[in-house]
Amino acid sequence: MTLLNLQPSALGLSAVLLALVFAAATWGVGRVPAINSRATQSWAWTLVTMALSLVCWSWGQDKGFLISFLLGNTLVVLCSVLFLRSMCCLVGQAVHVGCLMAQFVVGVSGIAAVLLASAPRSYAVVSIALSFFFAATGALVVLSRHRKIRASVAGWVLIACLGAVCLFFVAFRLLVMAFGGGAEAVQPMAATQVQGLAMWVAHLIVMVASLSFMWVLFEQRREALQARSQLDELTGVLSRSAFLDSALKPLEHATVYSVAVLDVDQLDTFNERFGRALGDAVLQHVTAQAARALRGMDLIGRFGGDEFCILLPHGDEAEAQAVSRHICQSVAANPLQGLPGPELRCSVSMGVATAWVPSQLASVTMPDLQAAIQRASDAMFLAKSMGGQQVQVAHAGAFDAHRAQPYDAGHLARV
């Protein structure tokens, strides 16, 4: 009972110090490379705003009603708005400014009613509680819909904290107002046991939520660095090893799939005449044009200096031809941007191979995929030998027949 009977000033001071410590820690975390800086800044300002509101509540009563009531309660409403924004930033979810403004207006409506219409202070308690309830439920929806948050222990801890805000802290304030002893119950820092318990719960929520928030940030950083290590630094597409590691999963239930191999025509000539910087720009231009033509499920990886491989899960020969033709036309039709001097254009050669998966096969294996890639690569070399800037197709028969007998150049046709 001793902890519950602490003076309001002592509870307020401890809460302010706790919020400021975690705000400083969050700002420190934000300086770590590859950390979500928007989320850290928003969360740090949430904690600072909370600390300032507690300062107004605890020590502003001697300075006048406007500081303790108006400024303190307005700051805590602003804290609820920043709280929701922080959770949205954590998962990269855009939050409409109008939504945040509506939340703020709801929160301050009770404060305005007390100041302008001499309404009971319980109006302010209800409006502030609604603002926090809106923030917590909105954050719960945003986080629970995020697949990686649901798969993370830290994410579930954070969701549990938000649930505590919804089911305990906000409801507790409303219950205190209704059954906690009259006018004293609506004082923000009233020295009652029930208010003391609410303050200690607030301490716990701030601490656990801040720790889990930073835990999620570091998990996101680890995933981002891991994803970055799987990408080709120059073009931003998958590396060869990452492409092969990722390729089998989208083919688990495929009955047909296609592979296209792309090679930039005369890249060595670009490098010799204009330097490797321009050659790098050509590769970036080609991958950008190719990425625009791909579907959401398709994969593209860099297999060599100027050779790229594209996987089209569930894509038949006609779809693969259409996508490859579109890539060739887009690369040839669009000049390189941001370069001095005359307009420069490049072209690509592509080979396409399609594989049908018999129903008796459980899934596509790596040798099957590599065989399809090899057929597409041979088709690409034929396209280059015929002058480039074209698509050649290795016409596919049954999936198992290609494993039993190799195709020959007679099965290649120009698109």
Side-chain angles (χ1 to χ4, degrees):
M1 299 299 289
T2 304
L3 290 177
L4 298 183
N5 289 329
L6 285 175
Q7 291 297 318
S9 58
L11 282 172
L13 178 61
S14 63
V16 168
L17 292 177
L18 184 68
L20 292 179
V21 166
F22 277 109
T26 305
W27 263 312
V29 168
R31 299 177 66 87
V32 177
I35 282 284
N36 187 341
S37 59
R38 287 187 63 198
T40 55
Q41 291 176 9
S42 184
W43 183 250
W45 280 114
T46 302
L47 296 175
V48 169
T49 307
M50 178 186 297
L52 292 175
S53 65
L54 291 171
V55 169
C56 293
W57 281 350
S58 301
W59 297 281
Q61 297 181 17
D62 298 334
K63 306 298 181 182
F65 180 75
L66 291 179
I67 293 180
S68 62
F69 180 80
L70 176 60
L71 185 57
N73 288 334
T74 302
L75 284 171
V76 81
V77 172
L78 180 60
C79 174
S80 71
V81 174
L82 292 173
F83 181 90
L84 177 58
R85 183 179 183 274
S86 300
M87 298 304 163
C88 292
C89 290
L90 183 65
V91 298
Q93 176 71 46
V95 55
H96 199 277
V97 176
C99 179
L100 297 179
M101 289 297 297
Q103 179 190 350
F104 183 78
V105 169
V106 169
V108 299
S109 60
I111 304 172
V114 173
L115 289 174
L116 302 178
S118 300
R121 293 185 64 169
S122 57
Y123 279 51
V125 175
V126 172
S127 67
I128 293 171
L130 288 176
S131 179
F132 268 99
F133 187 79
F134 182 85
T137 52
L140 274 174
V141 171
V142 169
L143 294 181
S144 60
R145 292 175 60 183
H146 196 270
R147 180 178 57 83
K148 291 184 178 179
I149 291 292
R150 295 198 310 268
S152 166
V153 175
W156 276 110
V157 173
L158 192 55
I159 289 174
C161 288
L162 297 177
V165 172
C166 288
L167 300 178
F168 185 83
F169 187 58
V170 174
F172 201 81
R173 287 289 292 161
L174 297 178
L175 288 173
V176 165
M177 182 194 69
F179 306 107
E184 185 185 29
V186 298
Q187 296 293 330
M189 295 295 294
T192 63
Q193 289 186 1
V194 71
Q195 290 282 61
L197 178 59
M199 282 299 301
W200 283 115
V201 171
H203 282 60
L204 182 62
I205 289 175
V206 169
M207 181 175 65
V208 177
S210 296
L211 290 174
S212 57
F213 191 90
M214 288 187 281
W215 187 1
V216 170
L217 285 172
F218 276 103
E219 284 190 347
Q220 291 177 341
R221 177 180 182 270
R222 177 181 56 81
E223 292 175 357
L225 292 177
Q226 183 178 1
R228 187 180 300 176
S229 67
Q230 296 178 338
L231 299 180
D232 176 62
E233 292 184 2
L234 176 62
T235 61
V237 301
L238 294 172
S239 64
R240 180 189 181 100
S241 60
F243 178 91
L244 295 175
D245 290 341
S246 307
L248 293 183
K249 186 172 181 58
L251 299 179
E252 288 179 350
H253 303 291
T255 58
V256 62
Y257 67 94
S258 295
V259 175
V261 173
L262 177 154
D263 189 89
V264 181
D265 295 331
Q266 299 180 339
L267 182 64
D268 291 340
T269 302
F270 277 94
N271 288 331
E272 292 173 2
R273 292 183 59 186
F274 305 107
R276 288 198 172 273
L278 182 61
D280 292 344
V282 169
L283 293 174
Q284 293 170 341
H285 172 72
V286 168
T287 52
Q289 297 298 323
R292 293 190 183 98
L294 300 183
R295 307 166 301 175
M297 68 183 77
D298 300 335
L299 298 178
I300 179 171
R302 186 180 182 185
F303 269 44
D306 57 351
E307 186 175 314
F308 298 84
C309 186
I310 299 170
L311 174 67
L312 294 90
H314 309 283
D316 58 19
E317 187 173 290
E319 290 176 303
Q321 289 182 23
V323 169
S324 299
R325 186 184 299 113
H326 181 65
I327 292 174
C328 279
Q329 292 173 348
S330 297
V331 171
N334 292 282
L336 276 70
Q337 301 295 324
L339 297 177
E343 187 179 87
L344 291 176
R345 298 177 185 269
C346 58
S347 64
V348 297
S349 300
M350 297 187 66
V352 173
T354 300
W356 294 87
V357 186
S359 58
Q360 64 268 24
L361 291 183
S363 61
V364 180
T365 64
M366 183 57 66
D368 297 330
L369 177 61
Q370 289 178 331
I373 293 174
Q374 184 60 51
R375 292 193 293 114
S377 180
D378 292 344
M380 180 272 295
F381 280 115
L382 178 63
K384 290 185 74 69
S385 68
M386 297 179 66
Q389 196 174 341
Q390 60 183 273
V391 178
Q392 291 289 332
V393 178
H395 288 303
F399 182 85
D400 51 358
H402 277 294
R403 292 188 298 175
Q405 60 181 35
Y407 84 101
D408 57 35
H411 290 114
L412 297 176
R414 180 171 181 171
V415 177

